[in-house]
Amino acid sequence: MGISIEKDASLSPALPEPDDDTPGGRIRRTRLSKHMCLVDLAKATGLSVVSLRLAEQNRTTVTPSNLRTIANALGVSVAYLGCFESLSEDTLGQRIRKARLYHGYTKREFAKIFGLSSRMILGWEKDEFLPSDKYLPLLNDYLSILI
């Protein structure tokens, strides 16, 4: 009769390939390796199924705090899900940015830890300002993740 029950891949939403080494691909692969449905991950994170689907399809950028939430729910590091290993570490500012992202903090959250403004953190990350000696011990704690 010409009826097929096979799934037509061309009609499927754009999902990352198994070797897709992007944040979306890593989120999806990790979720599937834990035998979780999107609904399960949504319940575990408090994020919507739609937001998670868009993230897995790399159609939206996941904020550092949401990436941290997803990583916690999946039991993996923020650094892994975010694909941050390829970020440069040539300058102190680049190292600060990379460490902040590895920990899953927005500039605002990171600034709050130091009792500073988001603008100051941005200045550090752009190498416009150097952190004063007052902040170096705490900053070194965060930078140690890069070593």
Side-chain angles (χ1 to χ4, degrees), residues 84-85 87 89 94-102:
F84 300 132
E85 65 275 359
L87 294 176
E89 294 183 46
Q94 289 172 341
R95 293 184 75 231
I96 292 169
R97 179 175 183 263
K98 188 172 184 175
R100 174 179 62 78
L101 292 171
Y102 262 42

Side-chain angles (χ1 to χ4, degrees), residues 16-77:
E17 294 297 318
D19 61 346
D20 180 13
D21 203 26
T22 63
R26 288 182 181 187
I27 292 168
R28 182 168 191 269
R29 271 195 317 279
T30 305
R31 175 180 61 78
L32 292 174
S33 75
K34 308 274 184 188
H35 306 288
M36 293 176 80
C37 296
L38 276 171
V39 173
D40 301 326
L41 187 56
K43 285 179 185 175
T45 61
L47 301 172
S48 73
V49 170
V50 172
S51 295
L52 291 168
R53 182 181 301 118
L54 290 173
E56 287 188 357
Q57 294 173 351
N58 293 306
R59 293 178 61 197
T60 188
T61 303
V62 181
T63 65
S65 53
N66 283 345
L67 197 60
R68 188 175 65 234
T69 301
I70 295 167
N72 287 337
L74 293 173
V76 296
S77 73

Side-chain angles (χ1 to χ4, degrees), residues 89 95 99 102-103 136-147:
E89 294 183 46
R95 293 184 75 231
Y102 262 42
H103 287 282
L136 291 179
L138 182 57
L139 187 56
N140 283 331
D141 288 344
Y142 286 95
L143 291 173
S144 68
I145 199 169
L146 302 178
I147 297 172

